[in-house]
Amino acid sequence: MSSSLPAVPSTPASAAPAQPVARPRVKPFAPRRTLGVALGVGVLAEVLLGREHWGVSFPLMVLALVGALLWVGGREGWQRAAPNTWLLTPLVVVAGFMAVRDSPWLQLLNLLTVGALFALVAHFWATGRVERLALGDYPGVVVSTVFRSLVQPPAMVREAVDLRGVASRLPGLFPLLRGLVLTLPVVGLFLMLLWSADAAFASALERVLALDVGTVLEEGVGRVLGVLFSASATAALVGHALRRRTRREMGEEEVGEGRAWLGLTEALTLLVAVDVLFLVFVRFQVAYLFVGDAASPAPGYSYAEYARRGFFELLLVSMLTLCLIMALARWTVRETAKAKVAFQVAASVMTVLTVAILASAMKRLGMYEDAFGYTRLRVFTHVFMVFLGGVLAWRGVTLWWRPERFAVGAFAAALGAVVTVNVINPDALIVRHNLARELAEDSGRLSGEGERVARADGVVDVGYLYELSLDAVPELARGLPSTKQLNDEFRAQACADVSWPEWSLARWRACRALSALAPETVSAGGS
């Protein structure tokens, strides 16, 4: 076994760039120790996550993975990782929401976010800075970490286990195999005779033979494979985080400016032309949506037609404009101070106008929601538009100050959007908003479960509310306390007898809300 060595620090940024070299075979950091810790984490993962539901088990597993990384890396590893350890805060927070929310959309979003953050933590554990990445480097680092970490577990096994020694001992197994061939018939004969000789012994053997051996083996093999998979994932993560750096990697140096090839005149012509177009469009939007009669759609359109006709187009315009500003900022030649200021002014005006266009898109979505109510897709779209507006505003700031920090600001905004959508609890928000609209409507009253209530040219589908997750149950119980369907739809899931690793705040709150419903009220709701 090779000796464990600390990661070699990278050369200073001021040094001459290193020449590309062929990467040698990966030598894991403390392979035996890492494999032992990984196997322990794999067993823990099978105990906590090998269940029907994930609750507090998921954040506990995330903490176990972080603990494994700290344990194997030791104090030196922690000192090297210190500049990037702020990533652990959103990692733990988002993982914690897996034990708080029940919505499948949120569960998937949180799971993907935790995976991406772990990839970033592994990449930057020993060197580099997250804030030095360009915007496109974030997904690049995640994908690169996933594929490069796959080589770590096999390399650790090669380093930790003397495969040649194991192969040399294989001939010694043949006598054991011959002994088993001789033993099985003899033991089988004696077993049959003893079975016939004693009724109690025979009854015990019958109970053993009554077991479904196939099912037992299948479950056992499945658990072993689960342990090996989790252990391999842990070894891959830890091994990649503590790998020896043999070349420069993303994040070790500040991203340089792109090769400027577009003249200032050409860039300003494009910027000014788009600014004028956006200014004319925004003038119409302000006159109608924000100052005029925005309580009804434009003449000749229904709510749905007017909102749908403009919303997606305006959202696409906002995203394309952000890409245009980023491209021009990277490729435009600005050799003098006046040239830089002229470009910054034109780009800033485009940023402000794009935010106004995005506000128009949000206004249209609000009109659509007023007519048809909230859904998960509309709530998530709202959060995305706020996130996009924040990124646009940050782009405007970085045009004048620290342009190289735009990417990390956009990354922080994305993490903020994930935390925000968890905090607002979309399913509960949908129920609260839609039931409030229904109660406020003079002509529509709930007369039965799943009834559609008309409003303007839209409808509120009360039956849709029963398709939401357990996150919605407390609000449903508050708004529809006499509905038996609420009890029938959710009680079995919310109040199921689950093990402690499956406990979640959403399930506990839902069961408590259902238990608070008076039995006679529930019975009356179904009569």
Side-chain angles (χ1 to χ4, degrees):
M1 183 187 75
S2 64
S3 59
S4 59
L5 296 174
V8 178
S10 60
T11 57
S14 59
Q19 296 296 325
V21 295
R23 194 171 189 186
R25 180 174 66 88
V26 176
K27 296 181 179 180
F29 185 95
R32 287 189 177 178
R33 182 182 184 186
T34 303
L35 288 176
V37 172
L39 185 60
V41 174
V43 173
L44 181 63
E46 184 61 27
V47 171
L48 293 179
L49 301 182
R51 302 169 186 272
E52 184 178 358
H53 304 287
W54 287 357
V56 296
S57 58
F58 188 84
L60 288 177
M61 274 308 307
V62 168
L63 291 176
L65 282 172
V66 174
L69 185 56
L70 293 173
W71 179 265
V72 176
R75 171 187 259 181
E76 182 181 354
W78 174 257
Q79 290 173 346
R80 292 178 179 274
N84 300 295
T85 51
W86 64 268
L87 289 171
L88 296 179
T89 299
L91 174 65
V92 173
V93 170
V94 175
F97 277 114
M98 291 287 287
V100 175
R101 299 292 177 232
D102 184 68
S103 169
W105 288 37
L106 288 179
Q107 293 277 332
L108 178 60
L109 178 63
N110 293 336
L111 187 62
L112 293 175
T113 303
V114 167
L117 285 171
F118 259 130
L120 290 171
V121 167
H123 181 84
F124 288 104
W125 191 255
T127 187
R129 299 288 188 275
V130 180
E131 59 270 18
R132 292 175 180 169
L133 292 178
L135 191 61
D137 290 341
Y138 284 91
V141 165
V142 173
V143 174
S144 171
T145 297
V146 170
F147 284 100
R148 292 176 61 190
S149 63
L150 296 178
V151 304
Q152 296 294 337
M156 289 181 187
V157 173
R158 289 196 301 267
E159 292 290 328
V161 180
D162 185 5
L163 297 179
R164 293 183 178 179
V166 172
S168 66
R169 294 184 177 88
L170 287 179
L173 296 177
F174 291 111
L176 176 61
L177 294 176
R178 291 193 296 269
L180 289 175
V181 171
L182 294 174
T183 300
L184 289 177
V186 176
V187 171
L189 176 62
F190 286 144
L191 184 63
M192 294 178 61
L193 293 174
L194 294 174
W195 190 341
S196 302
D198 186 83
F201 183 69
S203 177
L205 285 179
E206 289 174 356
R207 288 195 298 271
V208 172
L209 295 177
L211 294 175
D212 189 346
V213 179
T215 302
V216 173
L217 288 177
E218 182 180 355
E219 182 178 352
V221 171
R223 289 190 175 277
V224 170
L225 292 177
V227 170
L228 292 178
F229 175 80
S230 300
S232 299
T234 303
L237 174 72
V238 175
H240 185 74
L242 303 175
R243 69 196 182 281
R244 290 179 175 87
R245 269 69 170 177
T246 59
R247 63 182 181 185
R248 292 231 174 247
E249 299 182 2
M250 289 184 290
E252 292 190 25
E253 295 179 348
E254 293 285 357
V255 177
E257 296 183 359
R259 186 177 67 86
W261 55 268
L262 183 64
L264 178 65
T265 302
E266 293 89 338
L268 286 179
T269 301
L270 176 57
L271 286 171
V272 172
V274 175
D275 286 348
V276 172
L277 175 62
F278 283 4
L279 184 62
V280 174
F281 180 82
V282 168
R283 190 259 180 228
F284 281 96
Q285 300 304 295
V286 171
Y288 177 72
L289 288 176
F290 300 100
V291 178
D293 183 17
S296 61
Y301 290 97
S302 66
Y303 275 96
E305 291 171 339
Y306 185 70
R308 288 174 179 170
R309 183 178 178 86
F311 169 73
F312 292 106
E313 289 85 347
L314 296 182
L315 187 60
L316 181 59
V317 166
S318 301
M319 292 187 291
L320 290 177
T321 305
L322 176 61
C323 296
L324 177 62
I325 295 174
M326 292 173 59
L328 291 178
R330 186 172 181 85
W331 296 331
T332 301
V333 177
R334 290 159 285 172
E335 297 179 346
T336 65
K338 290 183 179 180
K340 292 180 181 180
V341 172
F343 178 86
Q344 290 168 335
V345 169
S348 298
V349 171
M350 180 180 289
T351 301
V352 173
L353 293 174
T354 305
V355 172
I357 291 175
L358 186 62
S360 175
M362 294 185 66
K363 180 69 174 182
R364 291 168 186 263
L365 180 59
M367 293 171 60
Y368 191 71
E369 289 166 341
D370 286 340
F372 293 91
Y374 280 7
T375 63
R376 282 175 178 161
L377 179 60
R378 294 164 198 165
V379 172
F380 275 77
T381 303
H382 242 134
V383 174
F384 171 74
M385 287 193 296
V386 173
F387 154 72
L388 182 58
V391 172
L392 282 166
W394 178 242
R395 174 72 272 188
V397 171
T398 55
L399 284 171
W400 299 85
W401 176 81
R402 301 296 297 272
E404 72 277 6
R405 291 295 176 257
F406 167 71
V408 71
F411 171 66
L415 292 178
V418 173
V419 174
T420 298
V421 77
N422 277 278
V423 170
I424 66 176
N425 193 359
D427 284 7
L429 178 66
I430 291 168
V431 173
R432 187 162 55 248
H433 180 272
N434 289 3
L435 290 182
R437 288 182 60 257
E438 181 186 344
L439 293 175
E441 183 61 37
D442 296 332
S443 61
R445 296 187 58 189
L446 183 63
S447 59
E449 295 160 3
E451 178 185 357
R452 293 179 180 270
V453 181
R455 183 186 186 275
D457 58 349
V459 292
V460 175
D461 187 0
V462 177
Y464 169 74
L465 303 182
Y466 294 107
E467 300 174 7
L468 300 175
S469 68
L470 295 179
D471 294 334
V473 171
E475 292 294 335
L476 283 170
R478 187 178 297 110
L480 303 173
S482 62
T483 305
K484 182 178 183 295
Q485 183 180 355
L486 175 64
N487 193 71
D488 295 339
E489 290 285 343
F490 294 105
R491 181 173 289 277
Q493 181 184 0
C495 300
D497 187 13
V498 297
S499 57
W500 71 264
E502 299 174 277
W503 185 92
S504 71
L505 183 63
R507 187 173 292 106
W508 177 77
R509 293 182 68 240
C511 183
R512 187 178 67 168
L514 292 174
S515 300
L517 296 176
E520 59 274 12
T521 304
V522 173
S523 177
S527 58

